Amino acid sequence: MNVTTLPKPPRVGLVSLGCPKALVDSERIMTKLRADGYDMSPDYTGADVVLVNTCGFLDSAKEESLEAIGEAIAENGRVVVTGCMGKDAEVIRARFPQVLAVTGPQQYEEVVAAVHDAAPPVPSPFIDLVPEAGLKLTPRHYSYLKISEGCNHRCAFCIIPHLRGDLVSRRPDAILREAEKLIAAGTKELLVISQDTSAYGVDLRHKAWPWKGTEVRAHMTDLAAAMGELGAWVRLHYVYPYPHVDRIMPMMAAGKVLPYLDIPFQHASPKVLRAMRRPANDAKVLQRIREWRSQVPDLAIRSTFVVGFPGETEEEVAYLLAWLEEAQLDRVGAFKFEPVEGAPATTMDEQVPEDVKQERYDRVMALSTRISAEKLARKVGSTIDVLIDAVDDETGGATGRSKADAPEIDGEVHLRDAGGLEAGDIVSVLVEDSDEHDLYGVPL
Ligand code: SF4
């Protein structure tokens, strides 16, 4: 049996100088790098690249910044410079020609790109929250917002808790402040990510923090409600169907949170889910989906499923297919079970042969593609909001996403006659056509 060994993520060292604003910039850059799969290095020697966030406010601060750059070069050698002194790039380059890149203050995208160039991220479908295609820098108009790290569960196919430890949630006020900053910088859509969004704040005992004259608890429902007031699209990923998810539905119905749930069900058969040791393994989940849709008729549910888990028989596959037919999920991704070094499922008996996995995968994908095509066809003739991702000046067309589409993993809306639109615009679109995954339309 082939066992996949996971690559080690690159490590970034950080030297952060200057005022609290510079510190916040550092936090934001590091948050983005963590979301991109980087680890932090507490020292120079363990770092693949060192980021020096400089201060250039006073001459003494500039000198301190230059000294810090010199030290990082001497100790590590692979240095990216950012921050206020980045405005004096020629001074830095004259003294330290070996610096890999110099970017200015608040040039988050450039500095993260420079780190990607210096120490490319190692994508791994087993641990990444963001899909491989999403490892490119996100454009300004949408941003991933990581609310916690690690996980308290111990799913049999997963090594994330082993790699990243138990759940550690960020303070809700810090998350909301970051969200506000992202929105002020042009973000129109916040993509909330974590390993288990529904469990957010469990480790903080759901404590409350002051926020804008009131309080916000470290709890998924409070956080979603507060984010819903910030004026951007709020899309929730990695939600497990715990009972409190029901309390998000009124926020979706009121237009505060996008009518979208990314729930990694992974299977439907109770027997396989038990063997997988999955959380929120609730036999009544179909009933819950029905209730959610009665409150939020346009709710889009995306999910992923694993076929060929050890011990899965034809009976369980038939159960899964019947469940999918009943659940009518909007977006489905399937994976063939792959043994990963260190995961308990890797050494389980009754491993499923590769050709059988492939055949099961094909059946799941054929069914979910048919369901997707049928659901999208029902949208033809309707009017939907579309967030523009890219415009094509040559054809006059544009590509965007509806509220039902997360970037990179879901479908797109292709627009004709979209002259004058820009990435980040949200426009009303008449849907004219559809296929298996995408919609086609014209702005109104
Ligand atoms: S919920 Fe399971 S699959 Fe997800 S990170 Fe935790 S242990 Fe891994």
Side-chain angles (χ1 to χ4, degrees), residues 151 153-155 157-158 160-161 195 240 278-279:
C151 180
H153 304 296
R154 296 293 180 264
C155 299
F157 53 80
C158 180
I160 287 206
Q195 307 296 345
Y240 285 89
R278 292 291 290 163

Side-chain angles (χ1 to χ4, degrees), residues 94-374:
R95 188 139 147 200
F96 304 108
Q98 57 279 63
V99 292
L100 299 172
V102 182
T103 67
Q106 280 155 0
Q107 293 179 338
Y108 306 116
E109 289 155 14
E110 284 82 351
V111 68
V112 173
V115 172
H116 277 236
D117 286 345
V122 189
S124 167
F126 297 104
I127 51 175
D128 288 339
L129 288 171
V130 179
E132 187 174 340
L135 283 175
K136 71 173 175 48
L137 289 176
T138 54
R140 205 170 271 271
H141 63 274
Y142 66 80
S143 302
Y144 293 99
L145 187 55
K146 196 170 198 176
I147 61 170
S148 61
E149 181 59 88
C151 180
N152 286 345
H153 304 296
R154 296 293 180 264
C155 299
F157 53 80
C158 180
I159 46 142
I160 287 206
H162 173 66
L163 286 179
R164 304 213 165 145
D166 282 342
L167 178 82
V168 179
S169 302
R170 296 176 62 199
R171 280 172 49 161
D173 54 337
I175 297 169
L176 291 166
R177 258 195 302 277
E178 185 188 347
E180 280 191 329
K181 274 200 220 98
L182 290 168
I183 291 167
T187 282
K188 300 287 176 56
E189 177 180 13
L190 297 166
L191 301 142
V192 177
I193 57 171
S194 69
Q195 307 296 345
D196 179 359
T197 295
S198 312
Y200 167 69
V202 166
D203 53 314
L204 300 173
R205 296 176 190 274
H206 300 309
K207 204 178 134 204
W209 268 267
W211 176 250
K212 301 219 180 255
T214 167
E215 285 196 329
V216 59
R217 283 181 317 146
H219 191 286
M220 177 195 181
T221 51
D222 280 35
L223 193 64
M227 276 189 199
E229 298 301 325
L230 300 180
W233 283 11
V234 177
R235 191 182 296 283
L236 300 176
H237 288 277
Y238 309 100
V239 174
Y240 285 89
Y242 300 140
H244 61 260
V245 174
D246 297 355
R247 303 213 297 272
I248 304 288
M249 294 303 135
M251 299 175 207
M252 292 184 175
K256 300 286 185 187
V257 172
L258 287 185
Y260 180 98
L261 279 179
D262 172 6
I263 307 178
F265 287 115
Q266 309 299 22
H267 213 283
S269 146
K271 186 188 137 199
V272 178
L273 287 169
R274 260 195 312 279
M276 287 178 166
R277 301 180 207 149
R278 292 291 290 163
N281 172 9
D282 179 356
K284 297 204 187 85
V285 78
L286 281 175
Q287 176 60 24
R288 304 250 328 272
I289 291 174
R290 269 194 291 276
E291 280 161 20
W292 291 342
R293 285 189 173 135
S294 72
Q295 293 176 58
V296 185
D298 56 347
L299 176 66
I301 302 179
R302 96 142 352 243
S303 189
T304 47
F305 293 85
V306 173
V307 292
F309 189 79
E312 182 190 65
T313 65
E314 262 310 305
E315 201 181 321
E316 280 90 47
V317 179
Y319 190 104
L320 171 59
L321 292 168
W323 189 95
L324 283 170
E325 189 74 78
E326 181 78 33
Q328 292 283 302
L329 303 184
D330 300 77
R331 307 285 185 187
V332 167
F335 299 91
K336 289 169 271 180
F337 170 75
E338 231 181 276
V340 179
E341 192 178 271
T346 299
T347 50
M348 282 180 175
D349 293 338
E350 301 178 80
Q351 297 282 332
V352 176
E354 286 305 316
D355 57 335
V356 177
K357 282 184 201 168
Q358 180 66 44
E359 188 268 333
R360 291 175 183 175
Y361 169 88
D362 292 343
R363 279 151 72 199
V364 167
M365 285 318 293
L367 171 61
S368 47
T369 303
R370 192 202 84 216
I371 292 172
S372 170
E374 287 169 359

Side-chain angles (χ1 to χ4, degrees), residues 24-163:
V24 171
D25 288 349
S26 292
E27 277 174 4
R28 183 165 170 207
I29 293 163
M30 284 329 223
T31 304
K32 179 73 184 80
L33 290 171
R34 289 290 287 149
D36 290 354
Y38 286 84
D39 269 353
M40 305 292 302
S41 172
D43 50 37
Y44 287 123
T45 42
D48 295 294
V49 58
V50 176
L51 185 61
V52 183
N53 190 4
T54 57
C55 175
F57 185 52
L58 298 170
D59 282 350
S60 58
K62 284 186 183 168
E63 195 44 46
E64 192 191 348
S65 294
L66 289 168
E67 278 169 21
I69 296 167
E71 182 180 303
I73 285 177
E75 297 286 334
N76 181 281
R78 298 179 57 72
V79 175
V80 170
V81 178
T82 187
C84 292
M85 247 209 106
K87 282 186 286 198
D88 298 322
E90 0 27 279
V91 178
I92 296 169
R93 288 204 179 282
R95 188 139 147 200
F96 304 108
Q98 57 279 63
V99 292
L100 299 172
V102 182
T103 67
Q106 280 155 0
Q107 293 179 338
Y108 306 116
E109 289 155 14
E110 284 82 351
V111 68
V112 173
V115 172
H116 277 236
D117 286 345
V122 189
S124 167
F126 297 104
I127 51 175
D128 288 339
L129 288 171
V130 179
E132 187 174 340
L135 283 175
K136 71 173 175 48
L137 289 176
T138 54
R140 205 170 271 271
H141 63 274
Y142 66 80
S143 302
Y144 293 99
L145 187 55
K146 196 170 198 176
I147 61 170
S148 61
E149 181 59 88
C151 180
N152 286 345
H153 304 296
R154 296 293 180 264
C155 299
F157 53 80
C158 180
I159 46 142
I160 287 206
H162 173 66
L163 286 179

